Amino acid sequence: MIVYYAALSIDGRIAGPEHELEFLQTLTGAANDYLDFYVDVDSLVMGARTWEFMVAHGSWPYVGKPTWIVTHADGLAPLEGAEPVERYSGDVRELVRLIGARGHRRTWLIGGGDLAGQLLAADLLDELILTVAPTLLGRGPALADGEFPLRRFRLTRMERFGDDGVRLHYERSDAQRSR
């Protein structure tokens, strides 16, 4: 199962034009339920730009969780503490099969929008947990980007998040399941 757990602006941006995350500060008064989510995932997947963001900020908060970086680059810039991390280049369907074959049951798509678009195109996103911040960014990476068919998700829960945010929980529509 691939779950996309992300925060976004009202206009669907997961970061500002220079990949800055200051918009997250508008989620004031929010309860920190991240740890509950994090203990429920057993592996991680992210795109190259998300990896580059992590490297630029010099910290790896995901120690011990097997992680795949989807990139066409020949290698990955080093990041202290980032283990176990594997570079993957290829069809995302094969990646999801590989993750499942290694016994992982719940994988967190950390980002970004390009990889989300690839997973949507292959009909591989099972769950969305989206926290909408009370702001508009206008520019920056989108929640999902690329070419993919219309994908329908079923709203399973909606809740206020902090003072002015909202958390939306979606599951892939049963009518759409093709795997």
Side-chain angles (χ1 to χ4, degrees):
M1 170 182 277
I2 306 292
V3 58
Y4 194 5
Y5 177 91
L8 65 149
S9 63
I10 294 169
D11 55 348
R13 306 296 176 180
I14 57 175
E18 301 299 320
H19 299 276
E20 65 274 4
L21 299 175
E22 285 81 6
F23 82 98
L24 294 176
Q25 295 172 6
T26 65
L27 290 167
T28 57
N32 187 2
D33 63 342
Y34 165 77
L35 291 178
D36 292 335
F37 168 78
Y38 185 70
V39 298
D40 197 36
V41 297
D42 57 9
S43 57
L44 314 170
V45 64
M46 69 179 72
R49 280 184 238 146
T50 303
W51 174 258
E52 290 165 5
F53 178 87
M54 301 296 287
V55 169
H57 288 84
S59 65
W60 185 252
Y62 311 118
V63 175
K65 300 266 185 183
T67 303
W68 284 266
I69 313 302
V70 179
T71 180
H72 294 292
D74 291 333
L76 295 173
L79 178 57
E80 186 175 334
E83 295 178 17
V85 172
E86 291 182 45
R87 185 184 66 80
Y88 181 84
S89 169
D91 188 320
V92 292
R93 289 175 197 85
E94 290 303 316
L95 173 60
V96 171
R97 279 194 268 283
L98 170 69
I99 292 170
R102 293 199 184 166
H104 302 293
R105 297 172 31 113
R106 188 167 166 88
T107 300
W108 174 18
L109 167 60
I110 295 179
D114 289 341
L115 182 53
Q118 291 175 50
L119 291 164
L120 283 165
D123 197 19
L124 294 170
L125 274 183
D126 299 295
E127 183 180 357
L128 306 171
I129 302 173
L130 307 174
T131 304
V132 182
T135 189
L136 296 163
L137 294 175
R139 293 183 187 209
L143 179 68
D145 202 4
E147 293 186 32
F148 47 86
L150 179 69
R151 296 289 183 216
R152 181 161 174 84
F153 289 83
R154 183 174 52 86
L155 182 66
T156 59
R157 192 163 82 226
M158 179 174 55
E159 58 206 9
R160 185 178 193 93
F161 192 87
D163 295 331
D164 295 309
V166 65
R167 167 81 45 85
L168 305 167
H169 295 252
Y170 289 96
E171 291 179 1
R172 189 165 41 149
S173 173
D174 289 339
Q176 192 165 299
R177 291 189 187 268
S178 62
R179 289 186 273 157

